[in-house]
């Protein structure tokens, strides 16, 4: 009996497939009386925020829906008085009007509106009040549309319910978390793995140039990267070859060891660049505690002020809504916003209570050399320079160090010292210090001082309208030497940008100039620029000159007026001819103002071809030199390599160049070579394998099944993924970085498979593909029932809510009991769980559940786990359940003893166990058939049903098989299956032929 009950419970596929036709048949034949009602389970989804199953009732050609549960799902204010006059009341979300629905008096009131209810408008159940869809629409403005064929219910309403308002507020506050700034850190499952020798990345660039003069040249460069002794080693070899000469050199060969330590984060040995006043290449050692993963957040910034009381204030951070507040009775608002490196733009919008909008904006720059308050970073470099300094013939030995500290949130100080063996003959090193300050939030002021080099001061500001000023002054302390190779005395620099609009026409003005003074000379350079944009047309006009006069703006023969125009034809929606779509055009003219003569002009046209190619054609004419220039450039990105073909002519000289560049990555674990057109040396990659863990080992072994689905997402952009023989490769990842990874279960074809890890983090390994294996298991199935024990009688409790939550995980679901008190669920991931009943429903019944909570574990088994017997008994709240044996109970009869003896027989137990296994497996095939049917895969659904029937024959199974065969076009076989179903159960419902034909007609056509 128990197994038969379980079969009936789990043959929900048959019920779902035939229920809509059953209802339609009843409606057409008029076979529904006022007393006859059918319990119907409808899938209710609303704008991706509500996704559940509603228990409804179908009576008198009308659907009745649960009002309290719907209000709870849509977060509409409600209060239920079930003990008194059966009243539902609260404030309705539209204008918060008070409403009262009194079922005892059969009235419904909202504001000043009152309507009379009839007995046909509602139905009272144990856990909820059920109302017709007509009542929801006429009284509440909620239009529910029931789809018979798909057993779904849709909600249409002009006013979004409160759950949408709450969701929008939540999305506003969480919108910024989509960026890497506030990303959630998942649990670290794959930490850094140090190896003696691992990985191999190789970047290459091969180029050959053919000149019409006969001087041909071949150039090459190759970068190599790997892991050695737990650190990353890499470097570049490059050279060239001609008929008369060949050159070979290396650059950047070094070994680096990275540590997760506050005092030392990296140790580098080999070719590096110094961090002193001058950045010089050297061979030696470098120590640092700078963070390997660059800082993003510098500090927090407070925005506060006073506005009109009860005004709504929104603050935008970098054009994204970050937070909002409603001002209090004093009109005050107060926000604490993030302050990041680079530019932070804050826009404030104040929606006044009296009407109107007030907007404010500000922009704050934080240089990347700023250190957060209380933190200290240092660099130490020592070795031999790779090239001699100015005036020397030998490569200097040197040592350099610096320390930077964040004094407070607006001041960073830096102190350094450096010594060069040939330059510091007096053995006194050069000392330097830097003060970097943020004044009045938006002004950046910096002062540098060095005893042997210079004194420098600079100021930089960017205003909310994007206008900016950048100015600096440098006074050199030494007449020459390595810190003043040009022999300068002073150097001035100014850059000003200002955007404006004239009659709605945008204009941008820019001035850039510098003045360099030496002992006997002055050099001035300046440039004025005006640019604008009209739709897709960009226009730029600039004037530039350079002179050696004391007068800064003295015009010379080098003065030029340059005009540039660019236009980009859009790919779609453009009225241009097809051959012009996606074309980029640029034209430029240079005019010599001193000679009043056009110097030169050139044109360029560019267009993408074949989705992976770029073609550029150019032509220019130099009127002063009386020669032409022409160019042809064709770039093709073949994913595995990039080809660049270039032909250029300068007068009578013609140069042809062909180059190929790309990268080769070795994955020794999977024995794959990954070819890409992007550089991989100095970066990292990840090879992700998804598989069904058939032997429950946690690793991919022989006999495990590979899952060929691209179902993995990584939280940072800039990566390219490639699928190869069951592996998903991610490239262009930064080494030693922490990445969040998510498994998209929706991309897995078999919905019954669940991953062991769904959200986790990893730390990349340098110059190699980190191996990640994610095992999948068949999800578990749970089953139980709820019985109500009142007045010494036990009856099944329909519509009861059962909450199932994972103990140490995120999975949770809500189940409903059927009319016979049973409930079930599949796709339960492996793990430990707790199940308990809804306390609100128990409160309505003034009852409690025994037990209060059930604990169980779903094991990771290849065939999926099956947990049954998760039963609850609902009894009055004040009752005590007596679990002690009744001593006055008579002895069991002889028949019972015989039954017990039979049950204890080994052969009987073996047969029972075998039967149980067949039934369980049969149920699993039925569930898989249901999933396949919903995926529109009739062939797989039919296959699973046949496997189920081969284990355990049921009337429902043959009925489902017949319907699938009919839908598949095999009408004769369908009739045979239906005949077998009737033999097992003469009362079983067989869907009508007209209904099945209608389903076939509604299928989407290929």
């Amino acid at each position: 009996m128990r197994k038969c009950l379980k079969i009936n419970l789990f043959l929900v596929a048959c019920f779902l497939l035939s229920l809509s036709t059953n209802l339609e048949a009843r409606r057409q034949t008029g076979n529904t009386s006022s007393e006859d009602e059918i319990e119907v389970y409808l899938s209710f989804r609303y704008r991706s925020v509500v996704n559940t199953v509603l228990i409804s009732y179908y009576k008198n050609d009308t659907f009745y829906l649960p009002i309290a549960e719907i209000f709870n799902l849509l977060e509409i204010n409600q209060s239920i008085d079930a003990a008194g006059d059966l009243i539902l009341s609260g404030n309705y979300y539209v204008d918060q009007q008070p409403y009262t629905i009194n079922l005892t008096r059969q009235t419904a009131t909202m504001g000043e509106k009152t309507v009379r209810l009839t007995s046909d408008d509602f139905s009272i159940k144990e856990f909820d009040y059920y109302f017709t869809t007509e009542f929801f629409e006429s009284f509440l403005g909620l239009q529910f549309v029931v789809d018979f064929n798909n057993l779904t219910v849709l909600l249409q309403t002009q006013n979004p319910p409160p759950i949408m308002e709450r969701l929008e507020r939540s999305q506003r506050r969480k919108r910024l978390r989509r960026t890497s700034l506030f990303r959630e850190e998942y649990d670290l499952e794959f930490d850094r793995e140090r190896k003696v020798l691992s990985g191999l990345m190789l970047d290459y660039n091969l180029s050959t140039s053919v000149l019409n003069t006969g001087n041909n040249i071949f150039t090459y460069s190759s970068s190599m990267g790997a892991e050695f002794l737990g650190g990353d080693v890499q470097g570049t070899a490059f050279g060239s070859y001609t008929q008369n000469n060949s050159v070979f050199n290396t650059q950047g060969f070094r070994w680096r060891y990275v540590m997760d330590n506050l005092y030392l984060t990296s140790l580098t040995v080999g070719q590096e660049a110094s961090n002193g006043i001058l950045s010089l290449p050297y061979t030696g050692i470098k120590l640092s505690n700078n963070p390997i993963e660059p800082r993003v957040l510098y500090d927090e910034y407070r925005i506060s002020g006073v506005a009109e009381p009860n005004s709504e204030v929104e603050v935008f951070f970098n054009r994204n809504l970050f937070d909002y507040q409603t001002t209090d009775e004093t009109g005050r608002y107060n926000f604490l916003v993030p302050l990041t490196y680079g530019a932070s733009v804050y826009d404030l919008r104040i929606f006044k209570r009296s009407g109107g909008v007030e907007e404010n904006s500000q922009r704050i720059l934080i240089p990347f050399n700023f250190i957060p308050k209380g933190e200290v970073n240092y660099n130490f470099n020592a070795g031999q320079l790779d090239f001699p300094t100015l005036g020397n013939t030998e490569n200097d030995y040197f040592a350099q160090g610096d320390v930077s500290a964040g004094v407070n949130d607006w001041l960073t100080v830096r102190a350094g010292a450096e010594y060069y063996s040939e330059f510091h003959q007096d053995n006194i090193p050069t000392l330097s210090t830097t003060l970097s300050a943020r004044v009045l939030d938006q002004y950046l002021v910096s002062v540098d001082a060095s005893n042997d080099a210079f004194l420098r001061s600079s100021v930089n500001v960017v205003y909310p309208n994007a206008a900016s000023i950048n100015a600096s002054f440098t006074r050199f302390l030494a007449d020459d030497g390595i810190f003043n190779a040009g022999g300068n005395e002073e150097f001035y620099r100014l850059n000003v940008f200002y955007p404006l609009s004239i009659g709605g026409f945008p204009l941008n003005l820019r001035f850039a100039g510098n003045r360099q003074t030496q002992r006997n000379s002055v050099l001035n350079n300046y440039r004025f620029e005006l640019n604008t944009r009209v739709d897709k047309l960009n226009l730029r006009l600039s004037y530039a000159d350079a002179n050696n006069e004391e007068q800064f703006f003295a015009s010379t023969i080098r003065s030029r007026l340059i005009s540039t125009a660019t236009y980009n034809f859009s790919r779609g929606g453009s009225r241009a001819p097809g051959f012009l779509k996606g074309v980029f055009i640029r034209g430029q003219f240079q005019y010599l103002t001193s000679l009043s003569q056009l110097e030169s002009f050139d044109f360029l046209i560019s267009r993408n071809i074949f989705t992976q190619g770029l073609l550029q054609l150019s032509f220019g004419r130099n009127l002063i030199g009386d020669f032409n220039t022409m160019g042809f450039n064709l770039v093709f990105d073949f994913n595995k390599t990039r080809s660049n073909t270039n032909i250029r002519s300068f007068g009578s000289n013609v140069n042809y160049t062909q180059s190929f560049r790309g990268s080769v990555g070795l994955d020794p674990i999977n024995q794959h070579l990954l070819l890409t057109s992007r550089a991989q040396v100095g970066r990292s990659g990840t090879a992700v394998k998804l598989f069904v863990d058939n032997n429950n080992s946690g690793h991919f072994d022989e006999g495990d099944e590979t899952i060929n689905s691209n179902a993995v997402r990584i939280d940072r952009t800039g990566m390219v993924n490639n699928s190869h023989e069951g592996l998903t490769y991610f490239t262009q990842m930064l080494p030693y970085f922490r990445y969040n990874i998510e498994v998209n279960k929706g991309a897995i074809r078999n919905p019954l498979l669940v991953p062991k890890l769904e959200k986790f983090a990893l730390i990349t390994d340098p110059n190699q593909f980190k191996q990640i294996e994610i095992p999948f298991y068949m999800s578990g199935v749970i089953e139980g029932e709820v019985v109500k024990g009142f007045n010494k009688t036990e009856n099944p409790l329909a519509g009861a809510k059962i909450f199932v939550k994972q103990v140490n995980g995120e999975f949770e679901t809500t189940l409903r009991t059927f009319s016979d008190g049973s409930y079930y669920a599949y796709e339960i991931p492996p793990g430990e769980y707790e199940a308990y009943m809804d306390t609100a429903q128990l409160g309505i019944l003034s009852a409690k559940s025994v037990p209060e909570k059930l604990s169980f574990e779903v094991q990771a088994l290849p065939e999926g786990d099956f947990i049954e017997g998760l039963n609850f008994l609902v009894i009055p709240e004040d009752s005590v359940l007596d679990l002690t044996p009744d001593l006055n109970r008579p002895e069991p009869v002889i028949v019972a003893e015989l039954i017990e003896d039979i049950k204890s027989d080994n052969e009987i137990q073996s047969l029972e166990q075998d039967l149980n296994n067949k039934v369980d497996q049969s149920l699993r095939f039925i569930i898989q058939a249901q999933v396949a049917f919903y995926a529109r895969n009739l062939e797989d659904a039919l296959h699973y049903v046949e496997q189920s029937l081969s284990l355990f024959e049921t009337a429902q199974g043959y009925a489902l098989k017949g319907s699938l065969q009919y839908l598949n076009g095999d009408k004769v076989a369908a009739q045979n299956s239906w005949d077998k179903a009737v033999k097992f159960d003469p009362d079983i419902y067989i869907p009508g032929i007209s209904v099945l034909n209608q389903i076939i007609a509604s299928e989407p056509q290929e």
Side-chain angles (χ1 to χ4, degrees):
M1 290 296 294
R2 183 64 180 169
K3 289 303 176 182
C4 291
L5 174 61
K6 190 163 67 174
I7 290 172
N8 291 329
L9 293 177
F10 279 85
L11 287 176
V12 66
C14 309
F15 171 76
L16 292 176
L17 290 173
S18 62
L19 180 58
S20 62
T21 57
N22 189 6
L23 294 175
E24 182 68 16
R26 287 173 178 263
R27 189 167 65 86
Q28 291 177 353
T29 58
N31 193 29
T32 306
S33 65
S34 60
E35 290 79 15
D36 184 21
E37 64 179 16
I38 305 174
E39 186 182 70
V40 183
Y41 295 86
L42 299 175
S43 175
F44 176 39
R45 294 187 179 185
Y46 180 69
R47 294 192 179 183
S48 300
V49 297
V50 176
N51 184 7
T52 187
V53 174
L54 289 179
I55 295 181
S56 66
Y57 290 92
Y58 184 75
K59 182 176 68 173
N60 295 334
D61 296 335
T62 302
F63 275 97
Y64 290 75
L65 304 179
I67 189 170
E69 183 175 1
I70 289 175
F71 277 17
N72 181 60
L73 292 172
L74 302 181
E75 298 186 2
I76 299 174
N77 178 258
Q78 63 172 307
S79 177
I80 299 179
D81 179 11
D85 290 338
L86 303 180
I87 296 175
L88 180 70
S89 61
N91 295 317
Y92 202 57
Y93 72 94
V94 180
D95 299 329
Q96 288 295 292
Q97 294 188 68
Y99 70 90
T100 301
I101 301 175
N102 192 317
L103 299 185
T104 303
R105 300 182 180 180
Q106 296 190 357
T107 59
T109 303
M110 182 177 297
E112 298 180 355
K113 174 185 176 182
T114 300
V115 298
R116 297 289 303 176
L117 302 175
T118 68
S119 58
D120 292 332
D121 292 327
F122 63 92
S123 177
I124 301 174
K125 303 296 181 183
E126 283 186 300
F127 291 128
D128 213 327
Y129 309 142
Y130 287 73
F131 283 83
T132 63
T133 54
E134 290 79 3
F135 173 82
F136 277 99
E137 182 176 359
S138 62
F139 184 72
L140 301 171
L142 303 176
Q143 182 181 1
F144 288 98
V145 179
V146 178
D147 184 345
F148 271 95
N149 291 329
N150 296 308
L151 292 177
T152 59
V153 57
L154 303 177
L155 170 60
Q156 300 175 0
T157 177
Q158 295 181 350
N159 301 301
I163 189 174
M164 292 301 301
E165 298 177 2
R166 180 188 60 80
L167 180 65
E168 290 175 0
R169 292 194 299 269
S170 176
Q171 288 177 339
R172 288 178 179 179
R173 295 179 179 179
K174 293 180 179 179
R175 192 171 298 166
L176 196 60
R177 298 183 182 271
R178 298 176 183 174
T179 67
S180 60
L181 178 60
F182 294 107
R183 65 191 184 100
E184 177 187 358
E185 287 197 347
Y186 297 158
D187 293 338
L188 182 62
E189 296 290 343
F190 299 91
D191 203 348
R192 169 81 174 93
E193 298 180 44
R194 299 188 186 275
K195 305 179 184 69
V196 176
L197 180 63
S198 180
L200 179 62
M201 301 290 190
L202 183 68
D203 299 339
Y204 63 88
N205 192 335
L206 306 176
S207 176
T208 182
S209 296
V210 179
L211 307 178
N212 62 346
T213 59
N215 296 323
N216 302 332
I217 183 173
F218 173 74
T219 61
Y220 59 90
S221 68
S222 177
S223 299
M224 183 274 294
E227 181 177 7
F228 179 65
L229 297 179
D232 60 285
V233 58
Q234 63 187 56
T236 302
F238 58 92
S240 62
Y241 175 80
T242 64
Q243 294 176 349
N244 303 319
N245 189 26
S246 64
V247 177
F248 177 80
N249 210 336
T250 63
Q251 178 182 2
F253 270 94
R254 57 103 179 120
W255 174 81
R256 180 179 61 166
Y257 193 85
V258 173
M259 292 155 279
D260 185 11
N261 191 296
L262 180 64
Y263 306 103
L264 179 62
T265 57
S266 65
L267 164 65
T268 305
V269 178
Q271 294 177 313
E272 259 288 358
S274 63
N275 298 93
I277 299 174
L278 301 175
S279 180
L280 300 174
Y282 73 95
T283 301
I285 187 172
K286 178 176 183 177
L287 303 174
S288 178
N289 75 332
N290 287 320
I292 299 299
E293 191 167 343
R295 298 184 179 97
V296 176
L297 183 64
Y298 173 70
D299 199 358
E300 291 182 316
Y301 180 63
R302 188 173 299 278
I303 299 177
S304 59
V306 179
E308 185 178 304
N310 298 320
S311 298
E312 291 188 1
V313 184
E314 295 180 342
V315 61
F316 289 77
F317 172 64
N318 290 342
R319 311 306 181 192
N320 291 315
L321 183 61
F322 179 75
D323 201 359
Y324 72 98
Q325 294 178 3
T326 301
T327 59
D328 56 20
E329 60 275 4
T330 65
R332 292 192 172 275
Y333 60 86
N334 190 3
F335 297 95
L336 196 62
V337 296
L339 191 61
T340 59
Y341 285 93
S344 297
V345 181
Y346 306 99
D347 298 304
L348 201 68
R349 295 180 185 176
I350 303 174
F351 299 88
K352 299 180 181 180
R353 184 72 173 178
S354 57
V357 180
E358 179 182 340
E359 298 187 17
N360 297 306
S361 182
Q362 63 182 123
R363 182 190 299 259
I364 298 178
L365 283 178
I366 300 296
F368 288 92
N369 64 337
F370 269 43
I371 307 296
K373 177 182 177 181
E375 295 191 23
V376 178
N377 291 140
Y378 72 87
N379 297 285
F380 175 76
N381 305 269
Q384 186 179 24
L385 297 180
D386 291 344
F387 304 100
T389 57
L390 184 65
N392 295 323
T393 59
E394 300 293 333
N395 297 357
D396 283 10
Y397 290 94
F398 91 107
Q400 178 270 328
D402 62 80
V403 178
S404 301
V407 179
N408 49 44
D409 59 356
W410 59 270
L411 178 62
T412 293
V413 298
R414 175 187 176 275
E418 46 198 294
Y419 173 82
Y420 296 88
S421 59
E422 296 296 326
F423 180 74
H424 296 97
Q425 297 292 335
D426 53 3
N427 292 326
I428 299 177
T430 297
L431 304 177
S432 62
T433 184
T434 302
L435 300 178
S436 301
R438 183 164 54 93
V439 181
L440 299 178
D441 291 335
Q442 58 185 349
Y443 291 90
L444 300 178
V445 179
S446 179
V447 178
D448 298 87
S450 175
N451 60 321
D452 287 334
F454 49 75
L455 297 175
R456 177 185 293 140
S457 62
S458 64
V459 61
N460 188 4
V461 60
V462 178
Y463 295 99
N465 65 345
S468 64
I469 301 175
N470 193 326
S472 67
F473 166 73
T474 303
R475 173 65 182 176
F476 292 90
L477 303 180
D479 294 335
D480 52 20
I482 61 175
F483 298 120
N484 188 13
N488 298 320
E489 291 183 347
E490 295 178 340
F491 186 81
Y492 304 84
R493 181 173 57 85
L494 178 65
N495 194 313
V496 179
F497 173 78
Y498 188 80
L500 71 158
S501 178
I502 300 178
F505 192 76
L507 291 174
N508 297 316
L509 303 176
R510 183 184 295 276
F511 168 78
N514 60 71
R515 181 182 181 90
Q516 180 178 329
T517 65
Q518 298 178 342
R519 183 175 301 174
N520 299 316
S521 65
V522 175
L523 178 61
N524 300 314
N525 287 279
Y526 60 91
R527 182 185 185 96
F528 292 97
E529 185 177 290
L530 174 67
N531 67 76
T532 186
R533 178 172 181 172
V534 181
D535 193 21
K536 297 182 182 298
L537 176 65
N538 290 276
L539 300 173
R540 177 179 287 106
L541 181 66
S542 63
Y543 175 81
D545 199 359
N547 63 58
N548 301 95
E549 305 292 334
E550 289 293 335
Q551 185 178 357
F552 189 85
F553 294 111
S555 179
T556 70
I557 194 173
R558 290 176 291 186
S559 63
R560 280 175 172 77
L561 189 64
I562 304 173
S563 63
T564 306
T566 64
Y567 190 88
N568 190 9
F569 291 91
S570 61
R571 294 177 179 273
S574 174
R575 296 182 179 179
F579 68 91
L580 284 179
K581 291 186 177 181
V583 171
F584 173 80
I585 300 177
R586 188 198 65 173
Q588 180 172 289
F589 297 84
Q590 293 195 47
Y591 184 81
L592 292 176
T593 56
S594 58
L595 300 178
S596 300
Q597 181 180 352
L598 183 64
E599 179 187 22
S600 65
F601 63 87
D602 61 81
F603 298 94
L604 180 143
I605 182 170
S606 173
R607 169 169 188 171
N608 292 327
I609 57 175
F610 305 123
T611 68
Q612 293 180 310
L614 175 66
L615 174 65
Q616 288 185 340
L617 300 174
S618 63
F619 172 80
R621 172 71 179 172
N622 189 303
L623 302 177
I624 303 297
D626 192 24
F627 65 88
N628 297 330
T629 62
M630 289 184 291
F632 170 87
N633 185 241
L634 179 62
V635 179
F636 264 103
D637 189 343
F638 297 105
N639 293 327
K640 297 181 183 301
T641 188
R642 179 183 289 256
S643 168
N644 191 331
T645 304
N646 189 285
I647 303 175
R648 299 192 65 83
S649 67
F650 299 88
S652 60
N653 296 323
V654 180
N655 179 17
Y656 167 80
T657 302
Q658 175 63 56
S659 65
F660 293 94
R661 75 175 188 185
S663 180
V664 180
L666 173 64
D667 179 10
I669 297 178
N670 298 292
Q671 299 181 353
H672 288 160
L673 281 178
L674 190 70
L675 305 179
T676 72
S677 60
R678 298 189 179 188
Q680 298 185 86
V681 173
R683 294 184 174 266
S684 297
T686 301
V688 182
K689 179 185 287 291
L690 310 181
F691 66 98
V692 180
D693 190 6
N694 290 322
N695 60 0
N696 200 22
S697 66
H699 301 283
F700 183 76
D701 303 311
E702 184 178 356
D704 290 341
E705 179 185 350
T706 300
I707 300 176
N708 295 313
S709 297
N710 189 3
V712 179
R713 294 190 294 246
I714 295 186
D715 67 342
R716 301 191 184 188
T717 59
M719 290 158 290
V720 179
N721 63 75
N722 301 276
S723 296
H724 183 77
E725 296 181 5
L727 291 168
T728 299
Y729 284 98
F730 290 89
T731 63
Q732 304 299 304
M733 301 176 73
L734 297 174
Y736 308 107
F737 272 45
R738 180 171 180 148
Y739 288 86
N740 285 342
I741 293 184
E742 293 185 14
V743 177
N744 179 18
K745 295 188 297 184
I748 305 298
R749 293 186 60 185
N750 188 349
L752 298 178
L753 289 175
V754 294
K756 180 180 180 181
L757 299 173
E758 187 173 350
K759 295 181 179 181
F760 60 93
L762 63 82
I763 295 179
T764 53
D765 300 329
N767 292 318
Q768 60 192 287
F769 293 102
K770 191 183 189 78
Q771 179 77 9
I772 302 297
E773 295 183 347
I774 304 178
F776 279 69
Y777 303 95
M778 288 292 293
S779 56
V781 178
I782 62 173
E783 174 265 344
E785 62 181 359
V786 179
V787 175
K788 178 181 176 184
F790 277 41
N791 301 323
K792 297 182 179 181
T793 61
E794 294 186 358
N795 297 299
L797 188 58
K801 285 184 181 180
I802 310 296
F803 298 114
V804 178
K805 290 188 177 182
Q806 199 169 16
V807 176
N808 295 314
E810 299 181 354
F811 182 86
E812 60 180 71
T813 185
T814 302
L815 309 176
R816 285 298 194 99
T817 58
F818 298 96
S819 57
D820 61 354
S822 63
Y823 69 92
Y824 83 98
Y826 63 97
E827 296 186 25
I828 306 296
E832 296 182 356
Y833 290 87
E834 291 181 343
Y836 53 92
M837 295 190 63
D838 184 9
T839 55
Q841 287 188 336
L842 293 175
I844 295 175
L845 297 176
S846 298
K848 61 183 179 181
S849 68
V850 179
E852 182 179 351
K853 184 179 296 185
L854 284 170
S855 298
F856 61 95
E857 180 182 4
V858 176
Q859 298 182 5
L861 302 177
E863 69 279 3
D865 200 2
F866 194 100
I867 308 297
E868 59 182 338
L870 301 178
N871 304 328
F872 291 95
L873 176 63
V874 177
I875 59 176
E877 191 173 18
D878 55 354
S879 65
V880 177
L881 186 63
D882 187 7
L883 300 179
T884 60
D886 187 358
L887 299 179
N888 297 322
R889 184 175 299 168
E891 292 292 329
V893 296
I894 301 300
V895 174
E897 293 179 355
L898 290 174
I899 294 175
E900 192 64 30
D901 291 339
I902 293 174
K903 287 184 177 180
S904 63
D905 184 82
N906 292 333
E907 184 177 356
I908 295 298
Q909 289 181 348
S910 176
L911 292 173
E912 182 182 9
Q913 182 62 39
D914 182 62
L915 178 61
N916 290 344
N917 293 336
K918 287 184 177 181
V919 171
D920 289 343
Q921 188 62 41
S922 176
L923 298 178
R924 298 181 197 281
F925 285 132
I926 286 294
I927 295 173
Q928 289 177 301
Q930 175 191 5
V931 174
F933 177 81
Y934 285 147
R936 307 286 187 185
N937 194 334
L938 297 182
E939 183 178 352
D940 284 356
L942 188 58
H943 173 69
Y944 288 130
V945 170
E946 288 176 343
Q947 288 185 290
S948 174
L949 290 172
S950 67
L951 295 172
F952 201 88
E953 293 183 291
T954 60
Q956 293 88 343
Y958 279 115
L960 177 57
K961 180 180 179 180
S963 298
L964 292 171
Q965 288 171 328
Y966 189 91
L967 294 175
N968 213 23
D970 193 348
K971 299 181 180 180
V972 176
Q975 189 61 54
N976 292 333
S977 297
W978 287 331
D979 292 341
K980 291 181 181 180
V982 173
K983 289 181 180 179
F984 277 91
D985 183 2
D987 296 326
I988 191 169
Y989 172 76
I990 302 299
I993 300 300
S994 60
V995 176
L996 290 175
N997 289 334
Q998 183 179 0
I999 295 177
I1000 295 174
S1002 65
E1003 285 292 311
Q1005 301 300 317
E1006 295 294 336

